């Protein structure tokens, strides 16, 4: 297990890297390039949030010797949660869920319209890329909500 502080810092740095690297490239407008990377930024911010909140909860121990995170998971909520923490979890979950559903469904009409084998073979990587992005984002949402 890695300590909480370096792990949280790593994911926070990754969350900042996505929009900053979009700004450094001048291929598109800055706003468009940054908006296209928000899904990845939110995913890394979620990982930083989970690393921080899970590590904080796992350090607390109950009188019976059970970790507080285990007991809280059994009860259905984390120990010491705040309203602000619930708002962060809710906002990240909702945004990532919308991104996942958009990624998973955005190429479905295009797949039905293509009848030419050549058109399918040239665009085959695009639907798989969207499926991969959507699947990873959906998995991140599930991980975020599992311990909550």
């Amino acid at each position: 297990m890695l300590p909480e502080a370096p792990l949280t810092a790593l994911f926070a740095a990754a969350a900042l890297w996505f929009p900053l690297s979009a700004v450094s490239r001048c291929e598109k407008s800055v706003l468009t390039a940054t908006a296209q990377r928000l899904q990845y930024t939110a995913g890394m911010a979620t990982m930083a949030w989970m690393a921080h909140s899970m590590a904080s909860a796992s350090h607390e121990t109950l009188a019976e010797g059970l970790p507080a995170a285990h007991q809280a998971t059994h009860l259905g909520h984390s120990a010491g949660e705040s309203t602000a923490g619930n708002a962060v979890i809710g906002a990240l979950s909702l945004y990532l869920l919308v991104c996942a559903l958009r990624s998973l469904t955005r190429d479905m009409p295009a797949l039905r319209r293509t009848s030419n084998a050549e058109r399918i073979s040239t665009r085959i990587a695009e639907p798989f890329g969207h499926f991969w992005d959507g699947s990873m984002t959906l998995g991140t949402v599930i991980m975020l909500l599992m311990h909550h």
Side-chain angles (χ1 to χ4, degrees):
M1 294 204 57
L2 294 175
E4 177 254 332
L7 195 57
T8 302
L10 173 73
F11 286 124
L16 291 174
W17 179 81
F18 282 107
L20 292 176
S21 64
V23 170
S24 68
R25 295 182 183 180
C26 297
E27 298 169 5
K28 303 174 189 173
S29 74
V30 173
L31 186 60
T32 302
T34 304
Q36 289 176 341
R37 294 188 179 216
L38 282 180
Q39 177 179 348
Y40 308 114
T41 302
M44 287 296 113
T46 301
M47 296 300 289
W49 180 264
M50 287 189 295
H52 174 69
S53 64
M54 291 174 102
S56 298
S58 68
H59 292 300
E60 300 173 14
T61 305
L62 299 175
E64 296 96 27
L66 293 173
H70 180 273
Q71 178 69 17
T73 302
H74 182 67
L75 295 174
H77 64 281
S78 298
E81 274 188 352
S82 66
T83 305
N86 287 337
V88 168
I89 290 171
L92 285 171
S93 298
L94 183 61
Y95 178 74
L96 289 173
L97 185 60
V98 168
C99 288
L101 292 175
R102 181 178 180 271
S103 291
L104 289 170
T105 60
R106 72 187 287 178
D107 286 321
M108 286 183 181
L111 289 175
R112 280 184 252 145
R113 279 185 287 180
T114 55
S115 60
N116 188 340
E118 185 178 320
R119 285 178 56 196
I120 292 172
S121 66
T122 58
R123 295 191 49 200
I124 198 77
E126 190 174 320
F128 288 126
H130 294 166
F131 178 77
W132 177 255
D133 289 344
S135 298
M136 291 298 292
T137 304
L138 189 59
T140 303
V141 172
I142 291 169
M143 288 185 344
L144 177 64
L145 296 176
M146 274 183 66
H147 82 90
H148 184 56

